[in-house]
Amino acid sequence: MAYAQEADDLTKQEKIRALYVAYVTQQLKLTPDEAQRFWPVHTQFETELKGVNKDLPELPKQQAYLDIKKKYQDNFTKILGTNRCESFFRMNDEFKRKLRD
């Protein structure tokens, strides 16, 4: 029973990931070349965000997230340009809000 639930959760995570990739790709209008450069950087970005200690007090935790975003801003700007980089950070949060709703 537990194995079936784990597989079900994994399938949900895979579906959410596919929706996210499609959403970001469409919203940013990524070309194939941009997508090829963007997604590996994004994977590193997500890995660092997930590595933030969830037990930190709220303000230090938010500061850690912000520091990671600042660290990756230049990388994303080189691939997307300034305007689409700003759009990415907004839409990333927007997607998470929509998912929760």
Side-chain angles (χ1 to χ4, degrees):
M1 184 67 112
Y3 178 74
Q5 187 174 1
E6 285 179 24
D8 207 31
D9 288 344
L10 184 59
T11 301
K12 286 180 187 176
Q13 289 175 355
E14 289 170 349
K15 287 179 183 176
I16 290 169
R17 178 70 179 165
L19 286 171
Y20 176 75
V21 169
Y23 177 78
V24 170
T25 299
Q26 180 184 21
Q27 293 296 312
L28 292 177
K29 297 176 176 64
L30 293 178
T31 66
D33 180 57
E34 289 170 336
Q36 189 175 19
R37 293 182 295 141
F38 175 81
W39 290 110
V41 173
H42 184 276
T43 299
Q44 293 172 339
F45 170 70
E46 272 189 334
T47 300
E48 285 198 38
L49 288 176
K50 288 177 185 174
V52 171
N53 183 349
K54 307 291 187 244
D55 296 329
L56 286 173
E58 190 59 26
L59 288 179
K61 183 169 50 176
Q62 291 300 323
Q63 184 63 54
Y65 289 136
L66 182 59
D67 290 344
I68 293 167
K69 288 178 179 181
K70 285 180 179 179
K71 176 181 172 182
Y72 279 88
Q73 183 177 9
D74 285 342
N75 293 334
F76 287 131
T77 298
K78 287 175 186 172
I79 298 166
L80 304 172
T82 303
N83 291 337
R84 288 194 300 161
C85 177
E86 293 297 318
S87 294
F88 163 69
F89 285 117
R90 278 193 303 276
M91 81 177 55
N92 193 36
D93 292 337
E94 182 181 311
F95 182 85
K96 290 175 185 173
R97 272 193 301 277
K98 286 181 179 183
L99 190 59
R100 276 182 256 141
D101 293 345

